[in-house]
Amino acid sequence: MSNIYESAEATLGFISSPCLTKVELRVACRGISDRDALSKPDPCVVLKMQSHGQWFEVDRTEVIRSSSGPVFSKIFLVDYYFEEVQRLRFELHDISSANNGLRDADFLGAMECTLGQIVSQRKLTKSLLKQGNTAGKSSITVTAEELSGNDDYVELSFSARKLDDKDFFSKSDPFLEIFRVNDDGTESLVHRTETVMNNLSPVWKSFKVSLNTLCSGDHERELKCTVWDWDSNGKHDFIGEFQTTFKEMRAEQEGKQIQWECINPKYQMKKKNYRNSGVVMLNHCKIIKMYSFLDYIMGGCQIQFTVAIDFTASNGDPRNSCSLHYIHPYQPNEYLKALVAVGEICQDYDSDKMFPAFGFGALIPPDFKVSHDFAVNFDEDNPECAGIQGVVEAYQNCLPKIQLYGPTNIAPIIQKVASSASEEMHTKEAMEYFILLILTDGVITDMADTREAIVHASHLPMSVIIVGVGNADFTDMQILDGDDGILRSPKGEPVLRDIVQFVPFKDFKHVGGSGNVLENVELKK
């Protein structure tokens, strides 16, 4: 156990950190041929990473309809470890079904490489290999860009009025593209809105984008915006364009009306009375500050440390010595070891040393109904325990009074702590950071609700540490941890910040200095 103490203390003490860089990957394809000669493909690229010899999906681009040379607006955000060989696989699929699924899609080719190859070359172009590793005429280009230190996001929403009508029998179907102009004069696609059908005064959905992606953190960097009329054959009609900067957009927060004339240069040169091809308005601009765990600690805030313990039946009868909850008179069980290992470190940053402790998955008195967020001390008005020793005593006193049951639902406890973090964030001081330690032995039952809860909590001053106790299959837990990709809600909304760290306790309880229960917490949170 001492090794766990030392490694966790080293992490929260900011003594060491791995060589980690965040990298954005942009994807484009050329020369795609479709199996149906009468139409163009509807391409989508799926990014997979290799782990323990197996490929698993990290993320995928949007589907672009009727395009043989798509430039995808979706950007892949990955962690780059200089000292590791990170194998990637980019798969191109023709998505013909309405639900954008891969089940009925046609496989058009794949490219494998390492992340190091992309980073070292900055732009990597390779042929897409079909079944049997035969090269076709299509190719894929992946461009890498290292992110700077600014993790803030901006939420934007646009609308337009009186756009040019490009269709004979109906109105234009407009969409907006935003490009960042780079130092070398090249342009990088930042965002492509959805298409608003048959409307010359569209209102596009709001979207979030990091300031790194939008303008490389430079508020005066030029942004080029283009408006198009979508056509089903992929040959979209150009409506107009305008230039701006984020500095100009930011003025909307001061109550100024921000709008731009949408200009078609050809019309401007040929038509004497030409004014514009419509006007684009910025409806909303909001900067979302992304504070890290280190930001809060160095700023003098206090940690609010909460414990959640799994009391589901899969742990075994606590009266049986084989149970993970068995209280041995001389040897602490797995739950107590993990609780003390993490809690002893976190309590140094908690001024009052009073820790709320909750249980989930048990039938509790007096009516013995299942609960997923009950106070371990059975005082719902004051679930706090005095120090880690107080949590240990409440846990030991609780076990004989409850009946282990199920299922393993952790979304309620995440939502409970997130609610407290949300209230804190809206105070003027905002001097508290919330850490939720979840100790569990099994497969999460409410995975969809849990992903939703984590995504919603990802903008809050909050982190979740999940410690897997016992020898179960913790694949679900590893999915929640964003180390190998971006966690998304069931609706596809990504986390704004990677707030979950998962570690299987069995990997660390008998190892030396390499074991780290709180690995990377200060970097990720």
Side-chain angles (χ1 to χ4, degrees), residues 30 65 86 113-114 127 203 226 271 380 477:
R30 295 187 63 183
R65 299 297 176 187
Q86 297 169 268
C113 64
T114 66
S127 296
V203 178
T226 57
K271 299 180 179 180
E380 296 299 330
M477 311 296 185

Side-chain angles (χ1 to χ4, degrees), residues 313-334:
S314 58
N315 287 280
D317 188 338
R319 295 168 296 184
N320 190 316
S321 61
C322 296
S323 170
L324 292 170
H325 281 304
Y326 178 69
I327 303 298
H328 193 281
Y330 306 110
Q331 177 68 32
N333 62 32
E334 297 288 274

Side-chain angles (χ1 to χ4, degrees), residues 408-448:
T408 307
N409 290 352
I410 66 173
I413 192 63
I414 294 175
Q415 292 164 349
K416 180 185 284 284
V417 176
S419 177
S420 299
S422 179
E423 292 177 6
E424 169 63 20
M425 195 173 74
H426 289 93
T427 65
K428 290 184 179 180
E429 292 79 12
M431 290 300 292
E432 293 184 353
Y433 191 96
F434 293 75
I435 292 181
L436 170 60
L437 170 64
I438 300 177
L439 306 175
T440 181
D441 84 310
V443 177
I444 297 175
T445 309
D446 62 339
M447 177 57 77

Side-chain angles (χ1 to χ4, degrees), residues 153-169:
Y153 274 70
V154 60
E155 185 176 63
L156 300 169
S157 65
F158 294 87
S159 62
R161 67 172 181 264
K162 296 183 179 180
L163 295 176
D164 285 353
D165 192 354
K166 296 290 183 177
D167 295 334
F168 290 109
F169 302 108

Side-chain angles (χ1 to χ4, degrees), residues 80 93 103 107 116-117 138-139 143 259 279 360 417 430 479-480:
Y80 170 58
H93 296 268
R103 178 175 297 179
F107 174 75
Q117 288 176 305
S138 56
S139 65
T143 306
Q259 62 182 36
V279 176
F360 58 91
V417 176
I479 292 173
L480 298 177

Side-chain angles (χ1 to χ4, degrees), residues 299-314:
C301 81
Q302 292 296 318
I303 295 295
Q304 291 296 324
F305 182 60
T306 302
V307 178
I309 301 173
D310 183 342
F311 288 110
T312 56
S314 58

